[in-house]
Amino acid sequence: MQLDQVVRRRLADAALAVVVGALVVTAAVFDDATTALDHALIALGSLALAAYRSAPRVVLAITTAATTGYVVHAHPGTLSALPVLGAVHTAARAGHRGVAALASALFLAGFVTTGPETREVVERTLLLAGWFLCALVTGLADRNWQAYLRQTEQRALEAERTREEAALRRAGEERLRIARELHDSLTHSISIVKLQAGVAVHLARKRGEDVPPALLAIQEAGGEAMRELRATLEVLRTDEPTGTPALLVERARSAGLAVDLRVSGEERPLTATVDRAAYRIVQEALTNAARHAGPAKVTVELGYTQDELTIGVHDDGIARQSRPPTPGIGLTGMRERVTALGGTLRAAPRAEGGFSVRAELPLGLPEEAR
């Protein structure tokens, strides 16, 4: 699904660049002064717009230089400014306001030299200046709107996560309440029944009498009921995660986070402690990415070897090495889990931008750690 969206976006960008170039070329066809060099400059300046998402400043530089060269050489009309207007808008939308304003000024300076009549050139230049100002303003407005949408999505994700945590907390409290009720009522009653049956069996054997089969059955059933009840209470009192890292990735995707899962090596069953630690590490890392990384792409990596499980959660968000985050409760708890299992953990910003969590958990654990 993510790949299809990327392909569709690239096709749409390429189509936009072709349409802009076709409009400028159509206007240039009716100008006898247009040469093959001018057509090449138009094509270069227009088709460069196809890459505006990934490199807005580079696109702005290429489009401004090529289109300004065409304008200075051929002296066309105002429609020739269309590729530069698009590049200025996209650069301002990406936050490069100063560069966009400089490119606008350079193109307008070149356009001033295009006509012999000063009044007409000034009027056309002022008209284009208004267009460029609109391109800058709309680009900034679109950037602010996108930032508002991202903040709204983050607040929605945070609210959803808070609701899930509250629901899990209430469920845990209810389990504990049920466990207490069962312990206080059934455990006491069954213990009395088992005790009385045991006393009756003991007295019967002491007097040399035959023990009634029903009494033995009561004693055995009471013991079995106590064992089953203890097991049930243990389950109710245990607050362990239920699920897998793959399930966490699916939940994150459904919440709007762009996350991929990559598994290397041969998957195999893990001990309970390693399984719980892996679940909690991925859960905490995805939660932090959703809260702090911004509109980032996240990759979850699980690597299985003979002796070790490697967990990596990497994003390309806003974290930078120059501004390392202060470890919170989540990162501290993650590190404690890994250390308790004899593993290593690295959680820090990446050199290329974003944040990375990498944990190495040994699979050959000593018995006391299990």
Side-chain angles (χ1 to χ4, degrees):
M1 184 62 181
Q2 295 293 332
L3 181 61
D4 293 341
Q5 289 179 351
V6 171
V7 171
R8 284 199 295 267
R9 281 184 177 181
R10 290 179 177 175
L11 290 176
D13 295 344
L16 175 63
V18 170
V19 170
V20 170
L23 291 174
V24 180
V25 168
T26 301
V29 167
F30 295 96
D31 188 353
D32 295 335
T34 304
T35 64
L37 174 62
D38 297 321
H39 286 292
L41 291 174
I42 293 172
L44 176 61
S46 301
L47 296 181
L49 292 173
Y52 77 88
R53 293 183 190 271
S54 58
R57 286 185 293 185
V58 175
V59 168
L60 179 63
I62 294 174
T63 300
T64 302
T67 309
T68 302
Y70 160 58
V71 166
V72 172
H73 182 262
H75 298 183
T78 54
L79 189 61
S80 61
L82 191 58
V84 185
L85 282 169
V88 167
H89 171 80
T90 55
R93 180 186 179 192
H96 309 301
R97 293 173 292 180
V99 178
L102 178 61
S104 302
L106 290 175
F107 178 81
L108 291 174
F111 193 82
V112 168
T113 65
T114 60
E117 299 181 9
T118 304
R119 180 177 178 180
E120 180 184 358
V121 171
V122 170
E123 290 178 351
R124 293 164 63 187
T125 303
L126 290 177
L127 176 62
L128 283 180
W131 289 5
F132 278 105
L133 180 61
C134 290
L136 280 168
V137 171
T138 55
L140 293 175
D142 189 26
R143 174 180 172 82
N144 293 335
W145 174 250
Q146 294 297 329
Y148 170 75
L149 290 180
R150 287 194 295 269
Q151 291 176 358
T152 302
E153 290 175 357
Q154 288 178 356
R155 285 195 295 268
L157 289 172
E158 181 68 16
E160 180 66 23
R161 188 183 66 84
T162 303
R163 283 196 296 269
E164 290 181 357
E165 290 179 351
L168 289 174
R169 185 174 61 254
R170 287 194 297 269
E173 293 172 352
E174 182 64 16
R175 287 199 307 271
L176 292 177
R177 188 190 67 80
I178 294 173
R180 286 194 299 268
E181 292 295 330
L182 289 175
H183 179 273
D184 295 341
S185 58
L186 290 182
T187 303
H188 178 72
S189 300
I190 294 175
S191 296
I192 294 298
V193 171
K194 183 174 179 295
L195 177 62
Q196 291 177 342
V199 171
V201 170
H202 175 72
L203 291 176
R205 288 174 175 168
K206 187 176 181 180
R207 291 193 295 263
E209 300 174 355
D210 293 335
V211 180
L215 196 58
L216 293 174
I218 292 173
Q219 185 183 28
E220 183 178 355
E224 182 65 25
M226 284 296 296
R227 287 190 293 272
E228 292 182 359
L229 185 57
R230 288 194 187 97
T232 302
L233 293 177
E234 185 66 24
V235 172
L236 289 174
R237 289 189 175 119
T238 301
D239 183 20
E240 296 297 344
T242 56
T244 62
L247 181 59
L248 289 173
V249 169
E250 290 299 325
R251 289 177 181 171
R253 285 174 182 164
S254 63
L257 190 65
V259 55
D260 290 326
L261 176 63
R262 300 175 184 174
V263 180
S264 60
E266 183 179 353
E267 291 188 63
R268 60 182 183 277
L270 305 174
T271 61
T273 50
V274 175
D275 193 38
R276 285 194 297 269
Y279 183 93
R280 292 303 190 194
I281 291 169
V282 175
Q283 182 184 47
E284 180 64 26
L286 289 178
T287 300
N288 288 340
R291 294 177 61 184
H292 306 300
K297 295 181 180 179
V298 185
T299 302
V300 177
E301 299 176 347
L302 299 177
Y304 293 85
T305 64
Q306 185 66 28
D307 303 319
E308 189 176 69
L309 170 65
T310 302
I311 303 169
V313 182
H314 318 291
D315 66 69
D316 57 359
I318 60 177
R320 295 293 182 269
Q321 288 185 332
S322 58
R323 295 174 296 162
T326 302
I329 296 176
L331 286 178
T332 302
M334 190 188 304
R335 190 174 299 280
E336 290 174 350
R337 284 180 179 272
V338 174
T339 303
L341 295 176
T344 59
L345 175 73
R346 183 187 181 277
R350 303 193 302 170
E352 60 270 32
F355 199 81
S356 174
V357 174
R358 180 180 175 84
E360 298 175 352
L361 303 178
L363 300 182
L365 298 176
E367 188 63 31
E368 59 270 20
R370 298 185 184 183

